[in-house]
């Protein structure tokens, strides 16, 4: 797979998420004209929690339309929510999913060059977004997370752009394999050591792999995937 299509371009501002009062920029609206993209993402896009979202390793979030039909079958009472933009993505992607992209892939999209930095590690705000108490954990367990691009060469992006593969330095490390290691085959020590050695891996993921190897234990995900009591609806 050496190409994909950008069906939609989306950005959003910070606002309360539903009636919970939790601030989020997950509700992103469609843009019908080209947008400049810098090392920190698309012009006009915001993040509410800059500690865990945004930054150079999470400049652009992408999500595959191929997942919406599966989500709709699994959660039929939420079928109207599974549509482009549902997961707060900047790029609505057709023709590629986590099984098709690898860590470190470089892609030319429009006049920009971007690099696959990591899969999304879903947080509890997805529970509120979909009104499903364990939605973040479902996203994590299924591997249908979407992914992040870092920006290598700034430029401009637009709906209708085609992503063209420039380089694939880590063909053995698809995002699907990485997700399976992190959340299912969790103490595969040879694979963790290999992951930690990958060039360009975000420091947070390298620390995670090394911490598992050093402690022989799995980190606690509850604070990330479980909705804090003040925001439970």
């Amino acid at each position: 797979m050496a190409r994909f299509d950008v069906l939609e371009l989306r950005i959003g501002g910070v606002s309360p998420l539903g009636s919970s009062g939790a601030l989020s920029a997950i509700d992103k609206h469609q843009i019908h004209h080209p947008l400049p993209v810098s090392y920190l993402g698309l012009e006009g896009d915001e993040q509410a929690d800059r500690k865990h979202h945004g930054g150079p390793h999470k400049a652009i979030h992408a999500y595959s339309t191929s997942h919406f039909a599966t989500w709709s079958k699994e959660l039929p009472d939420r079928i109207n929510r599974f549509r482009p933009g549902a997961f707060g993505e900047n790029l609505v992607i057709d023709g590629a999913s986590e099984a098709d992209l690898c860590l470190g892939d470089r892609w030319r999209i429009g006049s920009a060059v971007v690099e696959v930095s990591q899969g999304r590690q879903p947080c509890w705000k997805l529970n509120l977004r979909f009104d499903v108490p364990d939605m973040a954990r479902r996203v994590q367990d299924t591997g249908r997370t979407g992914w992040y691009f870092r920006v290598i060469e700034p430029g401009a992006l637009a709906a209708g752009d085609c992503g063209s593969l420039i380089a694939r330095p880590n063909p053995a490390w698809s995002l699907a394999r990485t997700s399976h290691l992190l959340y299912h085959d969790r103490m595969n020590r040879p694979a963790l050591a290999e992951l930690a050695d990958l060039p360009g891996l975000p420091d947070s993921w390298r620390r995670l792999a090394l911490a598992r190897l050093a402690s022989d234990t799995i980190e606690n995900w509850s604070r990330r995937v479980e909705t804090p009591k003040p925001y439970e609806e």
Side-chain angles (χ1 to χ4, degrees), residues 1 8 18 27 36 71 88 126 145 154 172:
M1 195 282 299
E8 294 183 10
D27 190 16
W71 283 121
L126 288 176
T145 60

Side-chain angles (χ1 to χ4, degrees), residues 10-30:
R10 290 177 168 267
I11 61 172
V14 176
S15 63
L17 182 55
S19 60
S20 69
L23 294 178
S24 174
I26 197 171
D27 190 16
K28 299 192 184 295
H29 57 277
Q30 189 175 0

Side-chain angles (χ1 to χ4, degrees), residues 92-136:
V92 180
I93 299 295
D94 182 50
S97 72
E98 293 81 359
D100 303 305
L101 279 79
C102 298
L103 292 171
D105 276 3
R106 287 199 176 186
W107 296 83
R108 182 170 294 280
I109 310 175
S111 60
V113 174
V114 300
E115 183 176 273
V116 177
S117 56
Q118 63 184 87
R120 181 183 191 167
Q121 292 179 293
C123 79
W124 55 268
K125 290 183 180 179
L126 288 176
N127 304 340
L128 303 182
R129 173 72 163 172
F130 292 95
D131 193 23
V132 176
D134 63 344
M135 190 64 186

Side-chain angles (χ1 to χ4, degrees), residues 118-188:
Q118 63 184 87
R120 181 183 191 167
Q121 292 179 293
C123 79
W124 55 268
K125 290 183 180 179
L126 288 176
N127 304 340
L128 303 182
R129 173 72 163 172
F130 292 95
D131 193 23
V132 176
D134 63 344
M135 190 64 186
R137 192 172 292 276
R138 287 172 183 256
V139 170
Q140 175 173 288
D141 289 348
T142 62
R144 301 193 293 265
T145 60
W147 61 90
Y148 289 106
F149 290 114
R150 62 169 67 93
V151 177
I152 303 301
E153 294 180 12
L157 304 182
D161 283 344
C162 170
S164 299
L165 185 63
I166 297 174
R168 173 160 287 173
N170 303 308
W173 281 96
S174 70
L175 292 172
R177 179 194 175 191
T178 307
S179 179
H180 182 73
L181 171 63
L182 293 180
Y183 306 121
H184 298 282
D185 190 20
R186 298 174 292 182
M187 284 309 304
N188 184 327

Side-chain angles (χ1 to χ4, degrees), residues 58-80:
K58 300 178 181 178
I60 303 170
H61 181 238
Y63 202 81
S64 173
T65 59
S66 66
H67 296 323
F68 293 135
T70 307
W71 283 121
S72 296
K73 290 178 182 178
E74 292 176 355
L75 295 166
D77 56 339
R78 298 290 186 272
I79 190 170
N80 292 333

